[in-house]
Structure formats: C-alpha cells, structure tokens
Amino acid sequence: MNLIKTKTEIAKYVSEKKAQKSTIGFVPTMGALHQGHASLIDFGLERHDYIIVSIFVNPTQFNNASDLEKYPRTLDQDASFLGKYKNRIAIYAPTAQEVYGPDVISKQYNFKGIETVMEGTHRPGHFDGVGTVLNHLFRQVNPDEAFFGEKDFQQLLIVKKLVEIEKLPLKITGCPIHRQENGLAMSSRNARLTPQQLEEATFIYKILHQVNKDFKNKSASKLRKWVTGQFNENPHLKLEYFEISNVKNLKPLSRKRKNQKYRAFIAAFAGEIRLIDNMAVN
Ligand code: AMP
C-alpha cells in the first residue's frame, strides 16, 4: 500500500506507472471508507491497472462549520480497509495547502443550471467547492478515468460538466449506489448515526422504493404530496427536499415525457445528520 501525501510524489507515481503503459483510475473520497467506496474501487480495478484513492475532507464544499468539524477522519482505519488491494491501490491524502496552495478558496463556476437545484439550493457554494477541489485533484493526479457514485447523482453531473468546462483529458464514469441489505444507502455520515437512527433511516429507501413503484400511475405532484405527508407523520426524520427530476438536466418533472429518464431524490435529517439518497424511477 502506497500512502502519498504530496502532489510532487503523486505526479511521480503516476508518470512512472504511465511510462510502463499502465492505466490509472481515480476514486476521489473524503475518507471514512465503507463498502460504497469499495464498490467504486472494484469497478475501477476491472478497467485499470492501478487505482488512486484520494482521501481529503475538502473544507470549501462545506457550508456548515459544525458538519465540517464533525466529519469523520479515520486515515489509519482507511489505510487498513484498503490493505487487501495491496499494491494496486495508492492513497493520496494531501493537506489543504498541498491541494490549494496558500489560499483555500473556491473558484466560481457556471454549471448551466445543474448547480441551482436540490443540493445547490440547500448548500450554497457547495458545488463551487466540489468543482474547485476536483479541478485541482484531477490536475495533480492526472488519471485516465475517474469514478463517482450515483449516490451523489447531482455531483456526478456537475463533475461531467466540470471536465467539459476545464477541458480536462479524463473520462468520468458513474457507478451504482451500494446499499446495506435493508436498503439504506451506505454513507460516511452513517457512522454518526445511533443504531436506532440507522434503523429509522431505512425509511428514506422505503419511500423511494414506493415512489418507484407508483411512478407509472401517479403524477409527480401527487407523489410529492404523498412523500411530504409520509415524512410529516414520521417523528424521526425531517424532510429537506423531495424531487423527481430529469436525469439529464435535473429539471423538476412537471409532465412526463416519453423517452426521458427520471430519478427521485431525497435529502432528510436524522437528528443533525443530513442524509441523501436517490433512485431511478423509470
Ligand atoms: P464521499 O467520501 O462521501 O465524498 O464519497 C466519495 C465517492 O464515493 C463519491 O463519488 C460518492 O458518490 C461515492 N459513494 C459514497 N457512498 C456511496 C454508495 N453508497 N454507493 C456508491 N458510491 C458511493
């Protein structure tokens, strides 16, 4: 296992591998690794000789100081979690100064409307932070392909746009959401939930599942009403938003159109922990 902390070293590592005609996949993460991250790594290892996993809790994408402070940081545990992959994995775990230089600030992006809905509305500045850090990391790591989870579906679309805007020479690939057996989407934030909250949080999956079942026969506005009602009756979870959107541009669904694909999205709080999930509905 290679643990690399500087951009000079990561550039050297990657150029040596590329000189041997090896290809490099990249899985950017904020650490506290779980099976969801592992599913991205496994996906990447089928296509590339080496995978670089970055572990960096990016300050500019947090709009809530307490969320940033309490975000789990478990580098030693993460390194042992990746131990089984042996030398096909390198961890890139830089400091903020290493990633950004002296000024840890976001660039302002125009992602053509994808950034103004859902997460963009509720987490101001979030996607500028995501775009800025990934622009730095992509340039430092210089991978052939990077893998992102559909768990953060809006982020996946943002990253595809970012690569276009910055004209970066890499492919962006989305990977399916990895869930626990009870349906709960795996997330680093789950580590902050009590056993009881972990159980209660499966409600989010159950609602998405039902929306998926009802999508054919009910209008979007009926479904929105039903979901809001269900959350209002649930004392354990507070709904922040529910949306059904076109998968291409994330525009909220008003009238279903043939040949268009839609997904349902939920953000909800279990206590102070914010959880997101989504599901394809047709
Ligand atoms: P994070 O460490 O939460 O920033 O996530 C790093 C990457 O892992 C992102 O591309 C996420 O979408 C992805 N990811 C996180 N949880 C899951 C999951 N349950 N299934 C699939 N991908 C995930």
Side-chain angles (χ1 to χ4, degrees), residues 110-273:
N110 176 355
F111 293 115
K112 304 276 185 258
I114 300 169
E115 77 279 32
T116 57
V117 293
M118 299 191 288
E119 294 300 286
T121 312
H122 294 277
R123 304 185 69 187
H126 172 66
F127 287 125
D128 280 337
V130 169
T132 305
V133 76
L134 287 173
N135 182 37
H136 287 307
L137 289 174
F138 288 155
R139 289 171 195 277
Q140 293 174 6
V141 173
N142 190 23
D144 297 291
E145 184 172 9
F147 299 89
F148 289 83
E150 290 179 344
K151 161 83 169 39
D152 301 278
F153 192 85
Q154 189 173 5
Q155 170 176 274
L156 171 62
L157 296 196
I158 291 277
V159 179
K160 287 183 173 166
K161 250 304 165 269
L162 173 78
V163 164
E164 251 174 65
I165 295 170
E166 295 284 357
K167 300 188 173 56
L168 295 165
L170 79 156
K171 185 173 174 206
I172 301 300
T173 298
C175 303
I177 301 175
H178 195 80
R179 299 180 180 281
Q180 292 182 185
E181 243 170 61
N182 61 13
L184 179 66
M186 297 219 157
S187 164
S188 303
R189 286 193 169 86
N190 293 355
R192 293 181 58 204
L193 298 175
T194 64
Q196 196 189 329
Q197 284 175 318
L198 272 173
E199 198 49 52
E200 291 160 359
T202 60
F203 183 77
I204 297 171
Y205 170 75
K206 288 177 192 145
I207 293 286
L208 287 171
H209 191 68
Q210 192 59 44
V211 168
N212 179 24
K213 270 181 149 172
D214 291 343
F215 184 74
K216 239 194 196 153
N217 303 318
K218 289 192 179 153
S219 68
S221 65
K222 268 223 167 91
L223 288 167
R224 283 189 194 103
K225 223 173 176 177
W226 178 78
V227 171
T228 312
Q230 292 294 305
F231 272 91
N232 283 342
E233 283 171 25
N234 183 324
H236 308 297
L237 293 163
K238 191 167 170 284
L239 182 66
E240 187 173 63
Y241 65 76
F242 169 73
E243 203 46 88
I244 302 178
S245 309
N246 187 303
V247 297
K248 283 209 183 115
N249 51 27
L250 298 186
K251 291 225 165 84
L253 168 62
S254 45
R255 201 165 54 84
K256 293 176 201 168
R257 288 176 199 279
K258 267 194 187 159
N259 306 322
Q260 296 291 319
K261 293 275 176 210
Y262 302 98
R263 282 180 100 94
F265 296 84
I266 286 179
F269 283 91
E272 61 170 17
I273 317 300

Side-chain angles (χ1 to χ4, degrees), residues 16-17 23 77 81 87 93 105 120 165 200 205 212 241 272:
E16 279 172 11
K17 298 297 183 208
T23 63
Q77 242 171 279
F81 181 81
N87 281 339
I105 47 169
I165 295 170
E200 291 160 359
Y205 170 75
N212 179 24
Y241 65 76
E272 61 170 17

Side-chain angles (χ1 to χ4, degrees), residues 14-178:
V14 170
S15 61
E16 279 172 11
K17 298 297 183 208
K18 286 191 171 175
Q20 298 157 6
K21 302 269 176 272
S22 296
T23 63
I24 304 283
F26 182 32
V27 177
T29 81
M30 297 206 297
L33 299 180
H34 51 70
Q35 281 309 320
H37 298 116
S39 69
L40 266 56
I41 295 168
D42 292 335
F43 202 90
L45 279 172
E46 291 198 357
R47 301 182 183 211
H48 296 283
D49 301 305
Y50 297 95
I51 296 290
I52 291 164
V53 179
S54 64
I55 296 181
F56 177 61
V57 181
N58 173 36
T60 65
Q61 74 187 68
F62 284 81
N63 55 317
N64 176 326
S66 145
D67 191 24
L68 170 61
E69 187 202 324
K70 291 187 179 152
Y71 200 88
R73 290 162 173 85
T74 56
L75 184 57
D76 290 346
Q77 242 171 279
D78 291 344
S80 30
F81 181 81
L82 297 178
K84 67 171 178 180
Y85 295 106
K86 309 231 162 57
N87 281 339
R88 288 190 67 197
I89 296 279
I91 299 178
Y92 179 40
T95 61
Q97 274 65 37
E98 194 67 24
V99 175
Y100 283 86
D103 297 323
V104 183
I105 47 169
S106 292
K107 204 168 154 174
Q108 308 237 307
Y109 283 101
N110 176 355
F111 293 115
K112 304 276 185 258
I114 300 169
E115 77 279 32
T116 57
V117 293
M118 299 191 288
E119 294 300 286
T121 312
H122 294 277
R123 304 185 69 187
H126 172 66
F127 287 125
D128 280 337
V130 169
T132 305
V133 76
L134 287 173
N135 182 37
H136 287 307
L137 289 174
F138 288 155
R139 289 171 195 277
Q140 293 174 6
V141 173
N142 190 23
D144 297 291
E145 184 172 9
F147 299 89
F148 289 83
E150 290 179 344
K151 161 83 169 39
D152 301 278
F153 192 85
Q154 189 173 5
Q155 170 176 274
L156 171 62
L157 296 196
I158 291 277
V159 179
K160 287 183 173 166
K161 250 304 165 269
L162 173 78
V163 164
E164 251 174 65
I165 295 170
E166 295 284 357
K167 300 188 173 56
L168 295 165
L170 79 156
K171 185 173 174 206
I172 301 300
T173 298
C175 303
I177 301 175
H178 195 80

